[in-house]
Amino acid sequence: FFSLQNMKMVPVPEKAYGTFFEGDCYIILHTKRTSGGTAVDLHYWLGKDSSQDEQGAAAVYVTQLDSALRGSPVQHREVQGHESETFQSYFRNGIIYKKGGVASGFKHVETNMYNIKRLLHVKGKKHVSATEVALSWDSFNKGDVFLLDLGKVLIQWNGPSCSIAEKSRGLALARSIRDSERGGRAQIGIIDNEKDCPDLMQIMKMVLGERHGELRDAIPDTKADELQKANVRLYHVYEKENDLVVQEIATRPLTQDLLQHEDCYILDQGGFKIYVWRGKASSPEEKKAAFTRAVGFIQAKGYPSSTNVEVINDGAESAMFKQLFQRWTEKNETQGLGKVYTTGKIAKVEPVKFDTTQLHARPELAAEQRMVDDASGEIEVWRIEDLEMKPVNPKTYGQFYGGDCYLVLYTYLRSGRPHYIIYMWQGGQASVDEITACALNAIELDKQHGDEAVQVRVTMGKEPTHFLAIFKGKLVIYQGGTSRAQSSAPEPAVRLFQVRGTDEMNTKATEVPARASSLNSNDVFLLTTSQVCYLWCGKGCSGDEREMAKMVAEVISKRDKHTILEGQEPAEFWEALGGKAPYASDKRFQEKITHYQPRLFECSNQTGRFIMTEVVGFCQEDLDEDDVMLLDTWEEIFLWVGKGSNTYERNEAIASAKEYLKTHPAGRDLATPIILVKQGCEPLNFTGWFNAWDPYKWSDGKSYEEMKNSLGDVSAISEIKVDLNNINLNKTALSMPSLAGASTASASPDYKSHLNHSNSYSNSNNCNSNSSSPSPLPNGEGVYSREVLVNKTVDELPEGVDPTKKEFYLSDTDFHDIFGKSKDEFYQMPKWKQQNEKKQYGLF
């Protein structure tokens, strides 16, 4: 992390990471280990008040660093207020913009500096930024969070239209300022409702003056919607007789073969973001000119100067770039877990079976294999008939007709407790009314099971792996018709089924037109007539495939079974198919499957525009209770619904997922399975995509209200003095239930302070004062030495120490020395983990 000072790169101290002066430029180098090695990102950030010279110098340094790193980094141009999602992911507590810069004599804030008076405008739910604004009520609006920072006191004012997530992110930022800039020695007060916080409001009015008139309405974010992002265009950029030529060569959907190694290209994502791709064999001059060309392109197109630019190198493409193409394959790519194929060779390689007993121990395997369990649970099946659920005869489970819709309830045990999956299977010829009724009945069935079921939309022909597995190799898909008893349509005399699969976990039979042209030499087909059932074995099929076809044949037909090999068919076989005809007989080449990186998005379409915000480098903490989140693993789409999400977004969740597939730049398959997952009921094939998933988070994790309460119960601060421009605030016996002491900030909600609070705050006179802590204990800093706390009984503890919170009275240094983490990190852990560690270190 470097800032540019007098045109030189100067390292920024770690405590100041995430703080940016508006008059400066910065360079950030980020490296991350991946399964394929190391991913390197190089960003240069331009403050809105930085000079052209500084901006030019930053670009030059980035080019030099890129050369020194042999072209491995993905390069990004970031403009204040318009940073990429990748850049924002580095600063999880938020980005703070400060007025001025190095040239104006401003310096980065040192820890324990209290001579501060500023107002921060905090915006964002997933990506938080805080901009320093004028100390005036005119800066406020009803929809955002504002932080009045007075050095030793931080007052968080939440607009009446704020969401819980915005309040939570604001509080995280306030705590971050307290801990990193004030050494933990500041108090945080929160105003959720002005009428409930008269004392905090009095302080605000002393600083900002009396408020006149109404506050402004919330300001909507100007974000690009998905339709805009879907408008991708590829341009070839080259020089001709000293002129730069930009030639459009393709639009959506783009294919990888358009990119030639000898050239450079610009990919324009609807003016939202500009990518520059540099071919391996392009000239050094062309590579150096990448940023210049991108900026020139932005100007020529009339796009805002803040438009994001990403420069990527041939062979080191980012996940976001790859997903703008219809298909992206790597050299020597493997074909999934346990299946390795060599590029270019005819692939009839048997996949290695994976051990289903490992699924619980290794949730990442469950995610990769798309399996929640070993498929040994219980099944119930209903058909949608007259828009109602009618039970299906268990003898016919696994047989699905294209003219119908079905609900399949799968029940399995995990940790001794039942879990549920509801599959909504939609036939290709079912009516719109039936498909709608299927979804509505799924909601009712879900309610009957405590609103805890995972709902999966299954489109005919796109059945997910687990759906195949639960029918144990006997899944049959009939092209049309219905399984209803009163069906008047006669069954066809001749039917042809293509059987794909090598074991009970992956086999299905799909009806195809009963014509010779439907055959394929790589597979087994079942041909049923009124007299006989033929098992036709193509030359390329395996023994396992033939065995599975025999099992399915028993389901499809009770007639005599005749096995025939390709090339040895009797005349009756061809007659049943209406005569011989050419069919696919070339050996099937194995398709190279790309391992797409999973991506997590926050969905919103409340404004009438479908907007998604990506969370880069996601983890479980990014799933907020009042959100609907979309996890795209390419083969399926998960929708995670938080308990506190609003009714509109919950009801529109499936529509959002369909819209996402429809507007995806890569031209995605609209039949991709969509899986609805509820908070607290996440299956293994979902949690496996998250590193270190904590199943107790929803029961032990803290909500916004709990975090607010955990700031402590300081009910009677007897005196507050804030010296601001010679204005003295002095209120005796000030009762401030929302203002919380720094040390109690991390205490659990049930902790009541035993301390006598009588602190004095003086912003300008004493910068090194410790007075925002609870009133001094014997050592003068509100803490005890470890010797009087560790392995001590209740009777041996100093008077006033809560025996259930002994660790709370340690100094920050002793606490980190004993537990290896800060108090803030410790109190974020589930309570059972806290108790275990306290027992381990003699503080229980």
Side-chain angles (χ1 to χ4, degrees):
F1 199 135
F2 304 91
S3 67
L4 255 64
Q5 297 180 19
N6 301 321
M7 302 299 169
K8 291 183 180 173
M9 284 173 61
V10 178
V12 172
E14 195 170 333
K15 282 179 180 171
Y17 284 9
T19 300
F20 296 85
F21 283 105
E22 296 181 335
D24 287 344
C25 294
Y26 293 81
I27 292 171
I28 290 103
L29 179 67
H30 184 266
T31 57
K32 185 176 78 173
R33 289 195 178 281
T34 64
S35 54
T38 304
V40 183
D41 286 273
L42 191 55
H43 304 256
Y44 75 99
W45 183 91
L46 311 176
K48 69 182 180 68
D49 298 331
S50 58
S51 68
Q52 288 294 324
D53 288 347
E54 283 179 312
Q55 293 180 15
V60 169
Y61 276 123
V62 164
T63 305
Q64 290 173 353
L65 279 167
D66 181 56
S67 300
L69 294 165
R70 299 184 179 178
S72 62
V74 174
Q75 298 172 49
H76 310 256
R77 173 181 174 267
E78 311 283 357
V79 177
Q80 179 183 337
H82 302 273
E83 294 84 359
S84 66
E85 286 152 337
T86 302
F87 184 86
Q88 292 178 83
S89 73
Y90 306 151
F91 310 102
R92 296 194 78 80
N93 286 327
I95 293 169
I96 299 175
Y97 305 126
K98 292 191 173 178
K99 297 283 183 201
V102 175
S104 62
F106 284 84
K107 299 291 179 200
H108 282 286
V109 173
E110 295 296 324
T111 301
N112 295 344
M113 287 287 284
Y114 301 121
N115 192 14
I116 290 164
K117 187 173 64 168
R118 62 179 177 173
L119 180 63
L120 296 173
H121 178 188
V122 184
K123 279 187 76 71
K125 281 171 68 178
K126 292 296 171 212
H127 303 130
V128 177
S129 65
T131 309
E132 202 172 316
V133 291
L135 272 162
S136 161
W137 286 111
D138 293 339
S139 300
F140 285 68
N141 70 65
K142 295 176 185 174
D144 291 328
V145 173
F146 290 81
L147 204 56
L148 181 61
D149 183 0
L150 304 175
K152 292 192 178 179
V153 181
L154 292 155
I155 300 176
Q156 178 178 335
W157 182 94
N158 295 326
S161 310
C162 276
S163 69
I164 294 290
E166 287 169 320
K167 293 175 184 180
S168 299
R169 294 292 187 264
L171 180 50
L173 180 67
R175 287 164 65 158
S176 173
I177 292 171
R178 178 197 68 194
D179 297 339
S180 61
E181 293 189 14
R182 312 291 144 75
R185 302 181 189 284
Q187 291 189 323
I188 299 171
I190 296 174
I191 300 174
D192 270 327
N193 186 336
E194 293 184 351
K195 289 176 183 173
D196 297 339
C197 309
D199 305 310
L200 291 178
M201 283 304 297
Q202 185 181 357
I203 294 177
M204 289 193 73
K205 285 172 184 174
M206 291 296 287
V207 178
L208 303 168
E210 284 293 332
R211 191 166 76 213
H212 303 289
E214 279 285 300
L215 288 169
R216 287 180 297 138
D217 287 331
I219 303 162
D221 292 331
T222 52
K223 281 187 177 178
D225 62 25
E226 296 311 292
L227 278 171
Q228 182 185 338
K229 290 181 191 176
N231 182 20
V232 289
R233 294 175 184 275
L234 188 68
Y235 297 85
H236 179 206
V237 184
Y238 60 96
E239 285 178 6
K240 186 177 180 183
E241 297 171 5
N242 295 327
D243 288 328
L244 184 66
V245 180
V246 179
Q247 178 186 6
E248 184 177 330
I249 56 171
T251 184
R252 168 189 169 186
L254 303 177
T255 52
Q256 190 180 353
D257 57 3
L258 292 165
L259 302 172
Q260 300 297 311
H261 301 297
E262 302 77 26
D263 292 320
C264 288
Y265 297 85
I266 284 178
L267 192 156
D268 177 3
Q269 192 180 2
F272 160 73
K273 190 167 188 175
I274 304 297
Y275 294 88
V276 183
W277 185 86
R278 307 190 299 188
K280 282 176 182 169
S282 60
S283 70
E285 291 75 22
E286 278 192 302
K287 286 177 181 171
K288 278 182 186 173
F291 272 123
T292 314
R293 287 179 175 177
V295 173
F297 179 84
I298 288 167
Q299 289 168 346
K301 281 281 191 178
Y303 293 152
S305 58
S306 57
T307 303
N308 240 233
V309 176
E310 190 173 301
V311 175
I312 37 193
N313 295 303
D314 189 351
E317 294 84 1
S318 64
M320 290 181 193
F321 182 79
K322 290 175 188 174
Q323 289 203 15
L324 298 172
F325 290 78
Q326 200 166 29
R327 182 178 297 281
W328 189 281
T329 51
E330 311 286 354
K331 275 188 180 175
N332 307 319
E333 188 140 46
T334 59
Q335 158 86 23
L337 234 86
K339 311 175 190 176
V340 180
Y341 300 105
T342 310
T343 308
K345 291 192 177 174
I346 290 166
K348 208 51 189 172
V349 182
E350 295 309 312
V352 180
K353 288 182 184 176
F354 72 96
D355 182 1
T356 54
T357 59
Q358 292 183 33
L359 291 174
H360 288 277
R362 293 180 56 205
E364 71 278 5
L365 182 71
E368 285 284 350
Q369 293 292 339
R370 275 78 184 173
M371 293 288 285
V372 297
D373 71 340
D374 60 2
S376 61
E378 298 293 321
I379 304 171
E380 282 182 84
V381 184
W382 295 267
R383 180 178 54 254
I384 301 301
E385 199 170 313
D386 300 325
L387 309 184
E388 301 286 336
M389 290 166 59
K390 293 289 168 69
V392 169
N393 183 345
K395 289 180 181 176
T396 64
Y397 280 6
Q399 298 179 46
F400 293 84
Y401 288 78
D404 287 330
C405 285
Y406 298 84
L407 285 176
V408 178
L409 175 67
Y410 179 76
T411 308
Y412 65 104
L413 290 177
R414 199 165 117 203
S415 306
R417 185 169 163 262
H419 286 66
Y420 308 100
I421 301 173
I422 298 171
Y423 288 105
M424 297 169 275
W425 190 89
Q426 301 172 356
Q429 294 171 23
S431 69
V432 174
D433 286 348
E434 284 173 322
I435 291 171
T436 305
C438 186
L440 293 173
N441 279 287
I443 293 168
E444 287 305 311
L445 187 58
D446 189 4
K447 283 179 183 171
Q448 292 169 29
H449 293 83
D451 265 334
E452 293 187 348
V454 171
Q455 295 178 32
V456 187
R457 181 200 73 158
V458 180
T459 306
M460 175 173 164
K462 289 286 176 181
E463 292 76 17
T465 309
H466 187 259
F467 188 82
L468 268 59
I470 64 177
F471 292 105
K472 305 289 186 292
K474 296 180 179 179
L475 179 63
V476 180
I477 310 291
Y478 293 92
Q479 199 59 43
T482 176
S483 55
R484 300 176 197 193
Q486 70 272 31
S487 173
S488 55
E491 269 200 32
V494 178
R495 300 186 105 143
L496 183 65
F497 297 86
Q498 184 174 22
V499 183
R500 305 283 299 269
T502 55
D503 59 36
E504 285 189 356
M505 305 294 272
N506 63 14
T507 297
K508 75 170 172 179
T510 307
E511 185 174 11
V512 292
R515 296 193 291 268
S517 57
S518 298
L519 297 172
N520 188 313
S521 296
N522 298 282
D523 296 316
V524 181
F525 286 78
L526 301 175
L527 177 66
T528 65
T529 68
S530 52
Q531 284 86 34
V532 71
C533 174
Y534 294 104
L535 270 80
W536 182 87
C537 303
K539 289 174 181 173
C541 74
S542 68
D544 283 347
E545 287 171 320
R546 286 195 289 272
E547 288 305 309
M548 292 313 300
K550 287 175 187 173
M551 183 190 289
V552 179
E554 293 301 323
V555 175
I556 289 172
S557 173
K558 302 301 174 201
R559 311 279 178 204
D560 288 344
K561 312 296 185 298
H562 289 193
T563 302
I564 52 176
L565 301 177
E566 183 178 4
Q568 299 176 21
E569 301 87 352
E572 296 81 26
F573 177 84
W574 295 118
E575 280 173 24
L577 289 174
K580 282 189 178 183
Y583 58 85
S585 56
D586 290 344
K587 287 190 177 178
R588 184 184 292 132
F589 280 79
Q590 184 62 49
E591 258 185 23
K592 287 191 284 185
I593 303 294
T594 303
H595 295 297
Y596 288 99
Q597 194 172 311
R599 297 172 73 186
L600 184 71
F601 300 86
E602 178 203 2
C603 309
S604 172
N605 56 5
Q606 226 169 345
T607 58
R609 295 166 65 236
F610 181 51
I611 291 172
M612 301 192 71
T613 307
E614 181 163 10
V615 183
V616 179
F618 63 83
C619 63
Q620 188 181 0
E621 290 296 322
D622 294 309
L623 302 174
D624 282 322
E625 293 203 14
D626 63 340
D627 278 340
V628 172
M629 305 291 287
L630 185 148
L631 177 68
D632 180 5
T633 67
W634 203 264
E635 284 186 33
E636 70 254 301
I637 301 291
F638 288 97
L639 282 162
W640 181 89
V641 180
K643 284 178 179 169
S645 57
N646 69 53
T647 311
Y648 179 85
E649 287 185 348
R650 272 202 306 276
N651 292 344
E652 292 296 315
I654 298 291
S656 294
K658 290 177 181 173
E659 186 72 13
Y660 171 76
L661 287 169
K662 200 162 79 179
T663 59
H664 198 285
R668 296 282 287 279
D669 186 344
L670 300 183
T672 302
I674 296 171
I675 303 171
L676 193 71
V677 174
K678 261 91 94 206
Q679 177 188 333
C681 308
E682 297 84 359
L684 284 173
N685 59 333
F686 176 82
T687 63
W689 296 108
F690 292 78
N691 188 29
W693 181 272
D694 178 5
Y696 301 102
K697 174 178 163 57
W698 311 127
S699 51
D700 289 348
K702 292 181 179 176
S703 67
Y704 164 69
E705 288 300 326
E706 287 170 330
M707 280 198 296
K708 193 170 102 173
N709 293 337
S710 76
L711 290 170
D713 180 19
V714 186
S715 57
I717 295 180
S718 59
E719 193 179 71
I720 283 189
K721 292 178 186 172
V722 185
D723 189 358
L724 301 160
N725 294 341
N726 299 320
I727 298 173
N728 189 54
L729 276 84
N730 189 339
K731 184 165 186 205
T732 307
L734 185 63
S735 172
M736 297 183 62
S738 297
L739 189 60
S743 298
T744 53
S746 299
S748 68
D750 58 350
Y751 173 66
K752 307 294 181 198
S753 176
H754 293 262
L755 310 179
N756 174 27
H757 298 276
S758 59
N759 298 325
S760 173
Y761 301 85
S762 172
N763 267 69
S764 56
N765 301 331
N766 182 6
C767 288
N768 297 316
S769 164
N770 297 329
S771 58
S772 66
S773 309
S775 66
L777 285 167
N779 64 4
E781 292 194 353
V783 293
Y784 285 103
S785 65
R786 64 172 82 185
E787 288 76 22
V788 300
L789 297 169
V790 176
N791 294 321
K792 297 296 179 188
T793 64
V794 175
D795 298 335
E796 294 171 317
L797 290 172
E799 189 179 347
V801 169
D802 184 343
T804 66
K805 297 284 172 191
K806 288 192 267 185
E807 77 290 348
F808 166 68
Y809 299 89
L810 290 165
S811 70
D812 289 347
T813 309
D814 280 350
F815 192 97
H816 201 283
D817 194 31
I818 292 170
F819 290 97
K821 57 179 73 70
S822 70
K823 285 183 182 177
D824 217 30
E825 291 168 328
F826 178 79
Y827 288 117
Q828 291 294 322
M829 291 177 3
K831 284 183 186 170
W832 63 271
K833 284 188 183 176
Q834 293 179 28
Q835 306 288 33
N836 285 348
E837 291 202 8
K838 282 157 68 170
K839 286 175 188 173
Q840 187 180 343
Y841 299 117
L843 286 161
F844 184 64

